[in-house]
Amino acid sequence: MYRSDAAALSILEPARAEAAHAGLTPHLARLEAEAIHIMREVAAEFRNPVMLYSIGKDSSVMLHIARKAFFPGKPPFPLLHVDTTWKFREMIAFRDQTARELGWELIVHINPEGKARGIDPFRSGSSLHTQVMKTESLKQALDKYGFDAAFGGARRDEEKSRAKERIFSHRNAQHGWEPRSQRPELWNLFNTRINPGESMRVFPLSNWTERDVWHYILAEKIPVVPLYFAKERPVVERDGALIMVDDERMPLNPGEKPQMRKVRFRTLGCYPLTGAVESDAETLEAIVDELMASRASERQGRVIDRDDKASMERKKREGYF
Amino acid sequence: MNAVATLARPAPLPAAPARGLLRFLTCGSVDDGKSTLIGRLLHETGAIFEDQFAALEKDSRRHGTTGGDIDFALLVDGLEAEREQGITIDVAYRYFSTPRRSFIVADTPGHEQYTRNMATGASNAELAIILIDARKGVLTQTKRHSVIAALTGIRHVILAVNKIDLVGFDEKRFDAIVADYAAFAGKLGFASIVPIPVSARFGDNIAAPSANTSWYNGPTLVGHLEEVEVEAARTDGPLRFPVQWVNRPNLDFRGFSGTLAGGVVRVGDEVVASSSGKTSRVTRIVTFDGDRETARAGDAVTLVLADEIDAPRGEVLADPKARPAVASRLAARLVWMSEDTLAPGRSYLMRLGTRTVPATVRTIRSAIDVETFDAREAGSLALNGIGVVEIDTVAPVVFDPYDENRATGAFILIDRFTNATVAAGMAVEALGATNVHRHGFDVDRAARAGLKHQRSLAVWFTGLPGSGKSTIANLVERKLHALGRHTTVLDGDDLRQGLNADLGFDLASRAENVRRAGEVARLMLDAGLVVLCAFVSPVRADRERLRERFAPGEFVEVFVDTPAEVCAARDPKGLYAKAQDGKIATFTGVGQGYEPPLSPDLVLDAAAADAEALAERVVAFIEPRISGASLTAEDSAAL
């Protein structure tokens, strides 16, 4: 009656239509159907939606499901990447290749003021960098194009304050999130009404866990950025985090020397702010194995979450995704 | 911990959850140890990572209430504000899994917002854990949680008798609490109630049987959660497919996308579009992963039909032999969630399935006492109130009773001004014309009007009594008649002597007066006529509701703007005089207010011109809308 994961893993070769359905556990099939339902709601109810594309694994799953939701048509919204100019080079290459292969419109936005001011994560600090190049930049892009709904790949299991996030998260005209003004979400009946100038952030993967995401990527054979797979990479160790030296802009401290270590990333963001983990997982199967045995949370590698207590909640109130 | 994150070498791969997903909610207060129980569940099932655990140890020392011990409650009390206040203020969702099943927990707080939060958590849950403090036994709050669970359609309950360690693991105490609860819960109609003695703080009977309760040989909490059968009932019922999105990427493909809300659909099945009554056959079930032969409740698919029938978003494709209710009046249970008290007669938006339609609560039949489950009379519903109400919708909605199908029987009400979700609704039954399924007629409004070489139009004159509405309508009809138009007049005073003879002049009756007049006008539009309606219709919301019943371009609102002094001076029926003498208590302009339209299609300034000139203006305004021998869809859209 039931398919264990071991069985699911072996179903990688058969014809596409068979594999996808045979490979999904009832649990994943239900999560997928829920995400499709949410995406169709947005397409039907909003004037000008956009899908935020962060290039990470969750975004990859979101894109894949969007293809399913509107098949045989194309998703009726563009992709938006808020580029901080400090993403891993492999992420940017993967982003452009993905957009090209899918034939989707990709909007890339960089905060011009931040760029002019020379904001960077080293000299400006991670808080200011995130505030200007991510949070402010995202607001600029949403305003510039007049998007009234923006999909994001955030999940409720990522962080404590996300546990109460709505699937349809209401933002005021200044893109602010007020915990007390969020609407109760009942059944699968989403209140999509907004006043002019207001917008909605929509999280179709709200109910997924990190394990679900990787099991799904494996079952559906979804391409992800190679940085997720273990490889010898040049890293330095800072404050307990392994930071990859991705380009020449990274200032090295006196006596600091990049070493080649076999590492991979559990989450992807700006390279100076994203810690690697030592790992031998070179395949999707190995990543899933590693994850099932792991005792550390994925956001452990994120430098910005540790800025202060409840820091994610503060960032969200300011309009961070 | 090692300074650098290192992932352990793979351990044996646990089997993925075998039984799909169970969604449940936990009801109880902080004092009952609810957060502690959830924290314990997450911990025992390995859903807490080492770095999170380290943070928890640190937080426990700083904010904890358990002395030096780990305070699991801190794991789940998420937002800064509530951590400071020590209460949970909203529904939070937690995720964990065991080798046998995945779980989503709706963590609903037990303080004063309990009803609203519980209803929210319960709406997607299949089971409820009701927490009892073994020292306190069954409390009012326990009953309240149980009643709300029952009313929101939860069928399975776990009675977690917590803090059993604090009563010395006493079997008799446990039995007494269970007996107490059973006596109360009998009337709630749960399919299963499983009592389990637990200690959330120390883990007794959570994941492993406790040696301290050797007298108990039932399942552990986790064991029961893994095993409990919750009905897959939706698949057994008749087909329900609310159309969510019409998928039309090119001229060769037209599919109806949506998630099956009930039953099973197979290629070849006959389906009926519930609102229009048109039937067709399923020719394909399309998915990205290839066409399918069948789809079941919960599946998100795209259906292709054999015929070009109209099935826009909001339509429900259904089994023609087991059709859902189609009605514009229904009885429903409501959980009121807004600080603003429910106002009967006020227009809200009802979201049911994929349909959004303006709706009005007509009457409150009763309020339900959430402590005793008894019904009592009530004139209103306040925040957290639960009641049974009658609702009118401006267009028929398609639904099933909630107790038969949660997906097609559930709805929310939305405030039209603040956009807040103000109520959770559960349909009970259709009222009035039940089992009336609209027949799709071939000769339609446009065809009938076309024979008369005109387009149907309703012209609604609103204004104070004595403002000249009937006089102007009369002149307009004479002019149109002379032009060869097929017309009729509906006049407020006329209707009140016949169709509306049963209505008074209070606000509810005035609303009904306008509603009926509008419905008659619609029938006349169907007959292809130009209908001139003269009604005081003082309430703006009533007129707005009216407008929603007409297609754009079929309804023209004319505001006869005559100053009150002028009306009173004219007083053609002597009514102002009577009202001022106090002989008419509810007279618009004297006792009741008149709300002028905010954006009428036409304003007639009665102080500036005589009736003849004003009638000319009306004719000039509407004649272009009436003319044209035949009406095409494009014209209609352009209007």
Side-chain angles (χ1 to χ4, degrees):
Chain A
M1 80 189 227
Y2 180 70
R3 181 176 302 284
S4 78
D5 258 28
L9 303 192
S10 67
I11 306 180
L12 291 175
E13 301 316 320
R16 166 97 226 159
E18 297 301 316
H21 278 285
L24 288 188
T25 61
H27 169 59
L28 286 180
R30 187 162 158 185
L31 290 175
E32 181 194 75
E34 180 186 66
I36 289 175
H37 179 82
I38 292 162
M39 290 183 189
R40 288 171 173 169
E41 279 304 284
V42 171
E45 293 274 306
F46 288 87
R47 190 177 37 78
N48 189 17
V50 67
M51 180 167 276
L52 293 202
Y53 182 44
S54 75
I55 322 173
K57 61 185 188 308
D58 306 297
S59 278
S60 295
V61 166
M62 202 162 60
L63 253 65
H64 184 74
I65 294 177
R67 294 171 72 194
K68 294 194 175 198
F70 304 100
F71 179 86
K74 267 190 196 172
F77 39 75
L79 298 175
L80 169 64
H81 178 228
V82 176
D83 192 349
T84 62
T85 73
W86 289 90
K87 300 295 172 192
F88 291 90
R89 285 173 299 170
E90 282 182 82
M91 289 174 72
I92 301 302
F94 183 86
R95 173 194 77 189
D96 294 341
Q97 184 192 344
T98 301
R100 202 168 45 240
E101 280 175 11
L102 295 180
W104 286 7
E105 183 191 351
L106 168 70
I107 298 167
V108 176
H109 181 79
I110 298 172
N111 182 348
E113 292 139 41
K115 205 176 168 191
R117 282 166 60 196
I119 298 289
D120 83 41
F122 298 109
R123 274 156 301 176
S124 319
S126 66
S127 290
L128 185 66
H129 168 76
T130 303
Q131 171 68 25
V132 174
M133 297 309 283
K134 285 178 88 170
T135 310
E136 290 303 322
S137 187
L138 170 63
K139 291 188 204 171
Q140 281 174 357
L142 295 177
D143 287 341
K144 180 176 172 186
Y145 298 96
F147 294 123
D148 55 353
F151 290 107
R155 309 184 318 268
R156 287 184 181 136
D157 81 322
E158 274 177 71
E159 209 268 345
K160 236 196 267 188
S161 79
R162 291 237 199 247
K164 302 185 178 193
E165 181 60 285
R166 304 298 193 269
I167 292 174
F168 283 70
S169 175
H170 180 255
R171 303 298 158 111
N172 63 26
Q174 289 74 44
H175 304 284
W177 175 83
E178 269 303 314
R180 287 184 186 268
S181 75
Q182 299 299 315
R183 302 158 181 177
E185 277 181 348
L186 295 126
W187 298 287
N188 61 355
L189 300 172
F190 300 108
N191 179 349
T192 53
R193 312 265 307 173
I194 51 172
N195 286 321
E198 297 177 343
S199 61
M200 204 69 93
R201 306 271 171 96
V202 184
F203 305 109
L205 307 184
S206 285
N207 284 325
W208 296 52
T209 64
E210 187 188 12
R211 290 177 185 187
D212 295 330
V213 166
W214 281 114
H215 277 127
Y216 187 76
I217 287 171
L218 180 62
E220 295 279 307
K221 299 168 77 177
I222 300 169
V224 291
V225 183
L227 291 162
Y228 285 113
F229 301 106
K231 195 179 137 185
E232 296 277 331
R233 295 186 170 96
V235 294
V236 294
E237 191 178 325
R238 281 187 186 174
D239 304 328
L242 291 176
I243 304 297
M244 178 172 156
V245 183
D246 194 46
D247 59 35
E248 70 297 337
R249 290 180 297 173
M250 178 154 168
L252 294 173
N253 296 331
E256 207 174 41
K257 218 177 128 196
Q259 322 167 293
M260 294 304 285
R261 299 204 11 206
K262 192 160 187 184
V263 295
R264 69 178 203 86
F265 294 86
R266 274 178 87 178
T267 64
L268 292 176
C270 296
Y271 82 79
L273 302 176
T274 308
V277 290
E278 297 199 287
S279 166
D280 286 322
E282 296 175 3
T283 62
L284 280 176
E285 289 83 348
I287 288 175
V288 169
D289 283 356
E290 190 183 83
L291 185 68
M292 297 306 282
S294 164
R295 300 293 308 138
S297 81
E298 69 186 305
R299 295 200 81 88
Q300 191 193 31
R302 292 273 183 130
V303 177
I304 55 171
D305 286 357
R306 288 188 261 157
D307 285 353
D308 58 53
K309 175 169 89 84
S311 58
M312 177 68 91
E313 184 185 345
R314 295 233 173 88
K315 281 199 290 287
K316 266 171 62 178
R317 287 196 195 178
E318 289 159 5
Y320 179 74
F321 227 85
Chain B
M1 258 181 74
N2 194 338
V4 171
T6 306
L7 292 175
R9 276 299 306 146
L13 186 68
R19 316 232 0 240
L21 179 65
L22 178 73
R23 297 188 69 149
F24 67 91
L25 84 161
T26 51
C27 328
S29 71
V30 178
D31 295 341
D32 299 328
K34 181 173 57 70
S35 296
T36 310
L37 179 75
I38 296 171
R40 170 64 68 178
L41 278 172
L42 298 180
H43 179 61
E44 299 272 340
T45 55
I48 299 170
F49 293 115
E50 273 168 13
D51 52 316
Q52 293 170 326
F53 201 81
L56 175 64
E57 281 182 314
K58 210 171 74 191
D59 278 3
S60 296
R61 281 194 296 276
R62 206 184 320 160
H63 306 281
T65 56
T66 51
D69 291 346
I70 299 284
D71 187 353
F72 285 112
L74 294 176
L75 262 183
V76 294
D77 292 346
L79 300 186
E80 225 175 325
E82 57 188 271
R83 225 178 300 159
E84 279 151 22
Q85 295 162 21
I87 50 157
T88 43
I89 53 175
D90 210 329
V91 185
Y93 295 91
R94 317 285 172 193
Y95 304 82
F96 69 95
S97 56
T98 70
R100 298 193 40 75
R101 209 172 206 176
S102 307
F103 302 92
I104 301 180
V105 192
D107 177 10
T108 61
H111 67 116
E112 84 275 4
Q113 292 295 325
Y114 60 90
T115 304
R116 166 180 147 153
N117 288 327
M118 236 200 93
T120 303
S123 71
N124 284 312
E126 292 132 350
L127 175 146
I129 296 180
I130 293 181
L131 229 76
I132 291 187
D133 183 331
R135 296 170 301 174
K136 296 179 187 158
V138 176
L139 301 176
T140 304
Q141 171 183 274
T142 315
K143 296 179 177 176
R144 205 182 269 161
H145 292 153
S146 304
V147 167
I148 299 166
L151 288 172
T152 48
I154 301 264
R155 310 270 296 121
H156 301 273
V157 164
I158 293 176
L159 191 68
V161 180
N162 191 27
K163 304 191 184 181
I164 196 76
D165 53 304
L166 294 182
V167 297
F169 301 99
D170 182 8
E171 178 178 12
K172 287 202 181 64
R173 178 72 189 138
F174 176 75
D175 287 345
I177 290 171
V178 171
D180 226 12
Y181 186 77
F184 166 76
K187 59 186 170 188
L188 301 183
F190 294 121
S192 77
I193 301 174
V194 175
I196 305 176
V198 299
S199 167
R201 191 168 164 203
F202 298 106
D204 295 83
N205 292 322
I206 301 291
S210 168
N212 295 318
T213 54
S214 50
W215 44 266
Y216 173 75
N217 40 31
T220 62
L221 184 63
V222 171
H224 182 62
L225 289 172
E226 284 179 329
E227 292 305 320
V228 63
E229 285 294 340
V230 291
E231 296 87 341
R234 286 206 288 155
T235 303
D236 299 337
L239 169 67
R240 299 288 184 261
F241 185 81
V243 175
Q244 197 183 6
W245 193 70
V246 179
N247 190 341
R248 194 146 210 202
N250 55 57
L251 291 176
D252 302 326
F253 187 89
R254 181 161 171 270
F256 302 98
S257 296
T259 304
L260 263 82
V264 175
V265 65
R266 291 176 190 78
V267 172
D269 280 357
E270 205 190 341
V271 294
V272 61
S274 306
S275 306
S276 73
K278 307 260 188 194
T279 57
S280 186
R281 208 167 29 76
V282 176
T283 54
R284 289 177 65 192
I285 301 171
V286 176
T287 78
F288 177 84
D289 301 299
D291 276 18
R292 291 164 63 169
E293 278 302 306
T294 66
R296 320 165 68 76
D299 291 348
V301 296
T302 297
L303 303 182
V304 179
L305 302 182
D307 309 279
E308 282 264 321
I309 68 167
D310 196 30
R313 175 172 167 86
E315 181 60 283
V316 178
L317 301 177
D319 178 351
K321 292 188 193 67
R323 299 182 188 209
V326 182
S328 51
R329 179 168 295 175
L330 62 148
R333 292 197 295 275
L334 279 192
V335 179
W336 197 253
M337 302 187 149
S338 168
E339 309 267 344
D340 299 329
T341 300
L342 162 63
R346 183 168 168 200
S347 179
Y348 298 96
L349 291 176
M350 175 194 258
R351 176 73 201 273
L352 193 158
T354 55
R355 183 91 195 259
T356 304
V357 60
T360 309
V361 175
R362 181 185 151 78
T363 49
I364 300 172
R365 280 187 183 172
S366 60
I368 298 167
D369 186 322
V370 292
E371 284 161 24
T372 60
F373 202 42
D374 295 332
R376 55 179 169 73
E377 268 188 44
S380 65
L381 278 186
L383 177 64
N384 291 316
I386 301 182
V388 178
V389 302
E390 294 182 9
I391 295 180
D392 284 334
T393 57
V394 300
V397 288
V398 180
F399 66 93
D400 293 293
Y402 183 77
D403 294 339
E404 289 173 22
N405 188 329
R406 286 170 84 173
T408 51
F411 62 88
I412 55 174
L413 294 183
I414 299 169
D415 186 290
R416 306 186 67 160
F417 301 99
T418 65
N419 292 330
T421 299
V422 295
M426 291 151 276
V428 174
E429 60 181 342
L431 299 174
T434 52
N435 295 317
V436 174
H437 296 285
R438 245 183 93 194
H439 194 88
F441 287 101
D442 292 335
V443 177
D444 61 9
R445 176 181 297 179
R448 296 185 196 108
L451 211 57
K452 297 178 173 61
H453 305 289
Q454 66 183 29
R455 296 172 189 177
S456 303
L457 184 72
V459 184
W460 189 274
F461 296 86
T462 175
L464 287 167
S467 58
K469 297 179 299 297
S470 301
T471 309
I472 296 168
N474 177 49
L475 290 172
V476 170
E477 184 172 37
R478 276 173 54 181
K479 291 174 191 297
L480 290 175
H481 191 77
L483 289 169
R485 298 297 176 207
H486 295 247
T487 58
T488 192
V489 169
L490 294 176
D491 183 81
D493 288 339
D494 280 356
L495 254 65
R496 281 190 174 277
Q497 289 174 19
L499 179 65
N500 292 348
D502 58 326
L503 297 177
F505 290 90
D506 57 287
L507 283 177
S509 297
R510 283 188 186 276
E512 177 63 10
N513 183 46
V514 169
R515 190 191 72 79
R516 288 187 198 172
E519 289 303 316
V520 173
R522 284 187 69 229
L523 291 172
M524 303 240 173
L525 247 64
D526 277 343
L529 298 176
V530 175
V531 192
L532 308 173
C533 315
F535 292 82
V536 177
S537 46
V539 181
R540 194 178 295 138
D542 291 344
R543 295 191 305 265
E544 280 169 9
R545 216 172 303 148
L546 185 72
R547 184 188 279 275
E548 280 158 359
R549 290 290 280 151
F550 294 85
E554 281 182 353
F555 182 89
V556 169
E557 187 178 38
V558 180
F559 176 31
V560 185
D561 186 9
T562 308
E565 320 81 74
V566 178
C567 298
R570 278 189 200 155
D571 203 9
K573 296 166 190 166
L575 296 173
Y576 279 87
K578 273 193 199 170
Q580 268 143 7
D581 287 352
K583 288 176 188 153
I584 312 174
T586 55
F587 185 73
T588 307
V590 180
Q592 288 178 344
Y594 175 83
E595 302 168 359
L598 295 179
S599 52
D601 300 288
L602 188 63
V603 181
L604 301 180
D605 182 355
D610 64 9
E612 186 65 35
L614 295 174
E616 263 318 320
R617 277 196 61 201
V618 176
V619 172
F621 184 78
I622 64 175
E623 179 55 25
R625 288 165 169 74
I626 304 168
S627 61
S630 66
L631 184 66
T632 66
E634 288 73 27
D635 290 341
S636 182
L639 273 174

